[in-house]
Amino acid sequence: MRVNASKRLLLVHAHPDDETINNGVTMAKYAANGVGVTLVTCTRGEEGEVLVESLANLASNADDKLGEHREIELKDAMHELGIKDFRFLGAPKLKWRDSGMMGTSQNDRKDVFWQADLEIAAAELVKIILEIKPQVLITYDEIGGYGHPDHIKAHLVAMRAAELATWQIQKIYWNTMPKSVLAEGIAKMKEIGSDFFGAESVDDLPFAKDDEFVTTLIDGVEYVDAKMAAMKAHETQISLDGPFFALSN
């Protein structure tokens, strides 16, 4: 699928739902403003926990059909965000499996993304870069946001592909969580008698970054409803818990 818009944005994420949680508002905003938005998802999230009891049989330790179901969830989420170009890395020739959390037995499987040859995976992304010629790339930071092996690998693949491609991407952004925003969130959670990953302060959160790392903020408040609808589409991974969204894993 060739993107014909004069302005083009490429996002590289690890599993279905990562795109909505991290960049749902950004994606919806730029798509609505005529930017060609392309999402590349590296795995189908086969190892995710299942939050819907009636779908528990899909889990990897049962029928192992969660990946197929999450493809449908991704399609529904992209409809809510107005995104038409979304693909899985390597498809249809190659398919990498969700690696699970760091240190688990799944990491050792030969077919998981964490074990993928970096040059081969990057070459698949280079094909997409040369096809759509994006001016902007968005992916994770060097620790994958919070240390998940697939997030780290997605970062490595995106950066290597940008290096190998003959097309020069003008701007590359890494999603990050600044300490000031996290500190405000921790304070608000304490006010209602809850906590944030058990953290007393931002210094307890290894993924919290100094505010000086933040170079760009996207104002897209008018697209929050679209993001909420997209999050609901990822029903096996995100459930409503009162005013909060509860995430699997």
Side-chain angles (χ1 to χ4, degrees):
M1 178 177 184
R2 184 171 294 278
V3 177
N4 294 318
S6 60
K7 295 180 179 180
R8 297 168 300 279
L9 168 64
L10 172 64
L11 301 100
V12 179
H13 279 290
H15 318 100
D17 81 1
D18 290 327
E19 80 297 323
T20 299
I21 294 170
N22 284 276
N23 301 119
V25 163
T26 299
M27 294 170 72
K29 174 174 181 169
Y30 283 104
N33 282 277
V35 174
V37 178
T38 297
L39 169 68
V40 174
T41 307
C42 298
T43 81
R44 289 155 182 79
E46 294 90 343
E47 296 298 336
E49 295 178 20
V50 180
L51 297 179
V52 180
E53 188 174 346
S54 62
L55 297 175
N57 64 293
L58 298 176
S60 62
N61 60 359
D63 295 339
D64 196 17
K65 294 183 178 179
L66 182 58
E68 298 170 22
H69 187 82
R70 292 185 74 177
E71 287 191 45
I72 298 171
E73 292 181 345
L74 179 63
K75 180 180 179 180
D76 292 343
M78 293 304 94
H79 174 74
E80 297 294 347
L81 297 179
I83 306 302
K84 294 180 171 56
D85 185 14
F86 52 97
R87 332 162 176 208
F88 286 95
L89 184 66
K93 181 180 66 174
L94 297 174
K95 181 177 181 178
W96 287 288
R97 184 181 173 91
D98 182 347
S99 307
M101 302 300 284
M102 195 69 82
T104 62
S105 60
Q106 289 92 330
N107 289 167
D108 297 326
R109 289 181 53 144
K110 293 182 179 180
D111 59 345
V112 299
F113 191 51
W114 181 241
Q115 299 294 342
D117 183 287
L118 178 60
E119 298 301 312
I120 291 176
E124 290 299 315
L125 187 58
V126 167
K127 294 177 186 177
I128 298 173
I129 291 173
L130 296 180
E131 174 195 339
I132 67 171
K133 295 180 170 60
Q135 291 95 357
V136 178
L137 166 66
I138 297 176
T139 189
Y140 311 102
D141 63 11
E142 76 282 2
I143 62 168
Y146 68 105
H148 192 294
D150 288 333
H151 288 231
I152 296 172
K153 194 60 172 270
H155 163 85
L156 294 172
V157 169
M159 298 308 296
R160 180 58 176 154
E163 180 181 32
L164 291 173
T166 53
W167 171 259
Q168 183 66 47
I169 299 174
Q170 296 173 24
K171 295 183 179 181
I172 299 177
Y173 292 108
W174 299 350
N175 287 311
T176 192
M177 289 178 271
K179 288 184 176 180
S180 63
V181 174
L182 288 170
E184 182 179 355
I186 291 172
K188 292 293 185 182
M189 295 291 279
K190 286 181 178 179
E191 287 179 11
I192 62 171
S194 187
D195 63 30
F196 189 90
F197 294 108
E200 284 296 318
S201 74
V202 292
D203 294 328
D204 298 327
L205 300 171
F207 51 76
K209 292 289 186 72
D210 291 335
D211 284 30
E212 66 188 38
F213 284 98
V214 178
T215 64
T216 305
L217 300 174
I218 303 298
D219 180 5
V221 66
E222 65 269 38
Y223 299 100
V224 169
D225 287 345
K227 173 171 179 168
M228 295 300 102
M231 289 180 74
K232 290 177 184 177
H234 290 291
E235 61 173 348
T236 62
Q237 303 301 297
I238 307 172
S239 65
L240 276 173
D241 182 11
F244 299 101
F245 283 99
L247 308 180
S248 71
N249 293 329

